[in-house]
């Protein structure tokens, strides 16, 4: 069935996309902000380090939560949209930083593209799969 192939493609794309928050969030938890370009561990205030590691842990948690949507993704629309809303809010905050502070490094620009570009597309794709699978389950009339 064609819906099944498209569903599998969405599952694969979401599983691969989960690697971003899992690896970047994990790196932030382990290394703190010192791994960012232009910072050294001694130049980072303790409160910034604490906040950065906290946000990195939240980011990593969002990656784990998205991963729970991969199996049976056609039934996880509510969770998927809620998680996407968190990511899009973060992307809006990153966009505010870009406007106020200037253009960040390439990695952050790629993050912005994921947050405000790829994630909304994935939400629309997941909704399509959910709708198609729901229609497949409806009994035939007549």
């Amino acid at each position: 069935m064609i819906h099944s192939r498209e569903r599998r493609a969405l599952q694969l794309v979401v599983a691969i996309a989960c690697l971003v928050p899992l690896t970047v969030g994990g790196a932030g938890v382990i290394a703190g902000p010192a791994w960012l370009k232009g910072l050294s561990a001694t130049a980072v205030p303790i409160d910034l380090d604490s906040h950065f590691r906290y946000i990195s842990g939240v980011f990593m948690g969002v990656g784990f939560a998205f991963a729970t949507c991969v199996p049976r993704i056609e039934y996880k629309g509510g969770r998927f949209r809620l998680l996407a809303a968190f990511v899009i809010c973060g992307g809006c905050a990153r966009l505010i930083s870009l406007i106020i502070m200037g253009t960040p490094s390439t990695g952050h620009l790629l993050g912005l593209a994921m947050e405000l570009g790829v994630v909304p597309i994935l939400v629309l794709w997941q909704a399509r799969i959910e709708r198609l699978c729901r229609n497949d389950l409806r009994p035939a009339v007549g």
Side-chain angles (χ1 to χ4, degrees), residues 6 8 16 18 24 27 48 51 53 56 62 66-67 70 81 83 105 107 112 117 127 131:
E6 188 176 353
R8 287 275 183 225
I16 291 168
C18 285
V24 174
L48 176 60
H51 187 69
R53 289 177 199 257
S56 294
V62 167
F66 265 115
V70 173
R81 288 187 297 275
L83 292 167
S105 66
L112 183 62
R131 187 176 54 256

Side-chain angles (χ1 to χ4, degrees), residues 26-83:
V29 168
I30 292 167
W35 69 274
L36 295 174
K37 183 179 178 182
L39 289 179
S40 69
T42 58
V44 177
I46 292 171
D47 286 349
L48 176 60
D49 182 89
S50 176
H51 187 69
F52 186 89
R53 289 177 199 257
Y54 169 80
I55 295 298
S56 294
V58 170
F59 190 44
M60 190 171 62
V62 167
F64 282 122
F66 265 115
T68 68
C69 294
V70 173
R72 299 174 49 90
I73 197 163
E74 68 275 21
Y75 299 109
K76 304 290 175 71
R79 180 183 305 177
F80 200 85
R81 288 187 297 275
L82 178 62
L83 292 167

